[in-house]
Amino acid sequence: MLIKTLLLVVGVVALASAEKYDGYKVFEVTPTTADQIEALFTLSKDADQFDFLSLSRIPGESARVLISPEIEQYFKTILEQKNIRYQLADSDFGRSITTEILENRLLRQLKPYSGSGRLGTERYYSHEEINAYLDDLAARYPSRVTLKVVGKSYEGRILRTITITNGDGRLGKNVILMDGAFHAREWISPASVVYAIGELVENFEENAELLQDYDWIVLPVVNADGYEYSQLSRSTRLWRKTRQPVTINGKECYGTDPNRNFGFHWMGKGASSNHCSDIYAGPKPFSEPEAVVVRDLIHSYSDRGIMYLTVHSFGSYVLYPWGWTPDLPDTVEDLHEVGMAGADAIKAYSGSTYTVGSSTQLLDEAAGASDDYAFQAGFPISFTMELPRGGLYGFDPPASSIDRLVKETWVGIRAMGKKVTEKYPMPKAVYL
Ligand code: 0X9
Ligand code: ZN
């Protein structure tokens, strides 16, 4: 009896301490033929089982996938049947991700943001810290910086834009609209957007030409709830969506993919109606307050807006419309030219290779995203920039590589900004 009770206690304790991702492995797969790519895309449709990331249509490009112990054998059998090259990238994903979370927490304690001065690049910052930095910039550069509350997240976090000008007071300049952290786990996105803000404001002299005839409006953290949630623990580190719960047929699941929630070809290809899926498009278009905020920004600047740039990770791409159809827009050459300016500048700076092309043609359809929405709303240049992969899973560049990545990303953003100011030098009204 005593032994039985003891066993029961041990079992309960073991269960309680069994955490998400125990026994999970990360595999790297490299399809080289169209048939192999198709096979992986078919598996990736079953996103709950096969968590593929940044699977591309380019032969020879490798992708990582997180595999639970339950399906490991089945997965390997398929790969072997199809002759797909694979290797183990991480044999204990649970342990590795715990280490990363602890590192992040430790660095936060060791290097708190004092609330004044430029945010460093040695660690990832919280939404609150990023907001404190915006306040600090507004206080230190009142003639060139204005902050505006543009809405609230589902959980009530304040979303604010920073408008950066050269302080000459001229109204009606063209606009570059930029945002970060649509997807919670893509931490290098807000880090890069915050660095870009720092360059435009604090390194103004060097970047003055970018602000001569253009204002930059930036929302660094779109999905603030998700971003915070992804920093909580190992089991939430890979969170992608917003945090508004949805109940269907008595089953509750959290969050909608804000980048499937836009009301343009909403719930088209590459979006899911399963509310537990990572690419759930939401119960209706613009069900998410965070998507509403970006939509309203797009509309309020569409008469001056030339470039919309949304920063994601990962895969090293500059993606342009369309993302809902393989068809290309009539102005594809303009889009390609500006995108290549970014890719070429990055290549020259660090040697990193970015691929430039249409979202659908390079990845696959993913309808209801903000880039397509901004493009159809009148931004002639609209990009999703997918930053390079890093860390185990691609979304988790270690803190030690933030500095290198954000600087490289800035080189690309600056080059695209410059190309846009050269290509569209007159006030937008003249082009209409
Ligand atoms: O799927 C997405 O939302 C983006 N990729 S990510 O890995 N960061 O999630 C790509 C969006 C590209 N744009 C469109 N499909 N419209
Ligand atoms: Zn993303």
Side-chain angles (χ1 to χ4, degrees):
M1 184 64 198
L2 183 69
I3 291 178
K4 262 193 179 169
T5 316
L6 264 179
L7 276 179
L8 194 71
V9 170
V10 171
V12 168
V13 171
L15 259 185
S17 61
E19 261 201 81
K20 197 167 172 187
Y21 302 130
D22 270 346
Y24 278 58
K25 293 179 183 167
V26 180
F27 285 86
E28 186 161 290
V29 290
T30 315
T32 49
T33 67
D35 179 52
Q36 293 176 342
I37 292 173
E38 225 28 75
L40 292 182
F41 266 93
T42 308
L43 284 183
S44 76
K45 302 279 183 275
D46 187 1
D48 291 340
Q49 299 261 40
F50 302 98
D51 199 353
F52 272 95
L53 290 132
S54 197
L55 190 56
S56 98
R57 294 213 166 266
I58 306 168
E61 199 119 306
S62 46
R64 286 190 178 197
V65 52
L66 182 61
I67 294 293
S68 70
E70 292 78 32
I71 58 160
E72 184 180 335
Q73 204 40 54
Y74 173 62
F75 180 61
K76 282 185 185 160
T77 311
I78 295 180
L79 294 180
E80 275 149 26
Q81 267 171 4
K82 292 274 170 194
N83 241 328
I84 299 174
R85 220 172 62 222
Y86 72 92
Q87 62 179 32
L88 194 58
D90 185 10
S91 60
D92 190 349
F93 181 69
R95 194 188 50 199
S96 313
I97 207 157
T98 306
T99 313
E100 286 185 358
I101 288 284
L102 291 177
E103 182 197 48
N104 189 41
R105 220 175 273 169
L106 191 69
L107 285 174
R108 190 161 290 182
Q109 276 162 9
L110 288 176
K111 299 172 192 280
Y113 177 52
S114 70
S116 70
R118 191 161 177 179
L119 276 189
T121 53
E122 65 280 341
R123 69 172 176 90
Y124 294 103
Y125 292 91
S126 67
H127 176 244
E128 204 180 314
E129 287 172 313
I130 293 172
N131 262 335
Y133 177 52
L134 298 187
D135 282 326
D136 177 54
L137 285 176
R140 285 192 289 133
Y141 303 96
S143 63
R144 288 194 271 113
V145 163
T146 11
L147 305 182
K148 191 172 166 199
V149 174
V150 288
K152 267 191 204 167
S153 68
Y154 170 73
E155 289 175 352
R157 292 187 172 83
I158 304 292
L159 305 180
R160 293 191 304 177
T161 53
I162 174 168
T163 299
I164 307 165
T165 74
N166 67 355
D168 68 2
R170 181 150 57 89
L171 299 175
K173 288 184 182 178
N174 288 342
V175 159
I176 291 173
L177 177 63
M178 177 162 67
D179 63 45
F182 249 79
H183 291 137
R185 61 193 174 193
E186 299 167 9
W187 294 357
I188 196 66
S189 153
S192 298
V193 170
V194 166
Y195 186 79
I197 292 172
E199 283 300 290
L200 288 164
V201 179
E202 308 211 43
N203 202 5
F204 170 71
E205 279 70 29
E206 229 171 82
N207 296 308
E209 62 182 336
L210 296 173
L211 293 154
Q212 184 59 42
D213 300 310
Y214 276 68
D215 295 336
W216 290 60
I217 291 145
V218 188
L219 177 59
V221 186
V222 172
N223 179 8
D225 298 347
Y227 180 59
E228 287 305 301
Y229 186 68
S230 72
Q231 302 187 24
L232 282 182
S233 70
R234 106 179 198 185
S235 57
T236 65
R237 173 62 187 93
L238 293 182
W239 192 256
R240 167 181 168 95
K241 300 190 284 180
T242 59
R243 290 295 298 159
Q244 177 165 215
V246 177
T247 304
I248 297 176
N249 294 334
K251 184 169 184 205
E252 185 183 56
C253 273
Y254 275 77
T256 287
D257 184 344
N259 214 26
R260 300 289 181 279
N261 193 233
F262 282 68
F264 177 68
H265 294 277
W266 179 77
M267 205 57 95
K269 283 195 178 162
S272 173
S273 56
N274 168 2
H275 66 306
C276 302
S277 156
D278 246 356
I279 49 168
Y280 176 49
K284 57 176 191 214
F286 298 117
S287 58
E288 304 311 289
E290 300 82 358
V292 168
V293 163
V294 177
R295 174 196 69 191
D296 292 350
L297 278 172
I298 288 170
H299 287 303
S300 60
Y301 295 109
S302 64
D303 58 338
R304 300 196 278 139
I306 299 288
M307 176 159 82
Y308 170 71
L309 177 63
T310 180
V311 181
H312 287 244
S313 78
F314 62 93
S316 302
Y317 298 105
V318 177
L319 303 170
Y320 50 74
W322 297 107
W324 67 275
T325 164
D327 296 346
L328 293 170
D330 296 341
T331 55
V332 60
E333 279 172 21
D334 298 324
L335 291 158
H336 201 79
E337 184 190 352
V338 179
M340 282 309 294
D344 289 344
I346 289 178
K347 185 86 193 171
Y349 172 78
S350 64
S352 292
T353 305
Y354 267 75
T355 308
V356 182
S358 107
S359 290
T360 302
Q361 294 195 358
L362 287 179
L363 301 176
D364 212 354
E365 280 98 349
S370 68
D371 51 3
D372 280 3
Y373 193 87
F375 188 67
Q376 62 83 38
F379 282 69
I381 301 294
S382 179
F383 293 137
T384 296
M385 194 173 177
E386 297 277 5
L387 304 188
R389 75 173 338 144
L392 278 171
Y393 203 47
F395 297 120
D396 51 344
S400 57
S401 52
I402 298 174
D403 189 69
R404 177 178 58 79
L405 286 172
V406 300
K407 286 179 177 157
E408 172 189 290
T409 305
W410 168 244
V411 168
I413 294 175
R414 184 180 62 198
M416 293 193 284
K418 185 153 181 290
K419 177 59 94 187
V420 153
T421 61
E422 290 163 3
K423 228 174 129 58
Y424 306 90
M426 307 301 278
K428 187 172 178 185
V430 176
Y431 301 104
L432 294 175

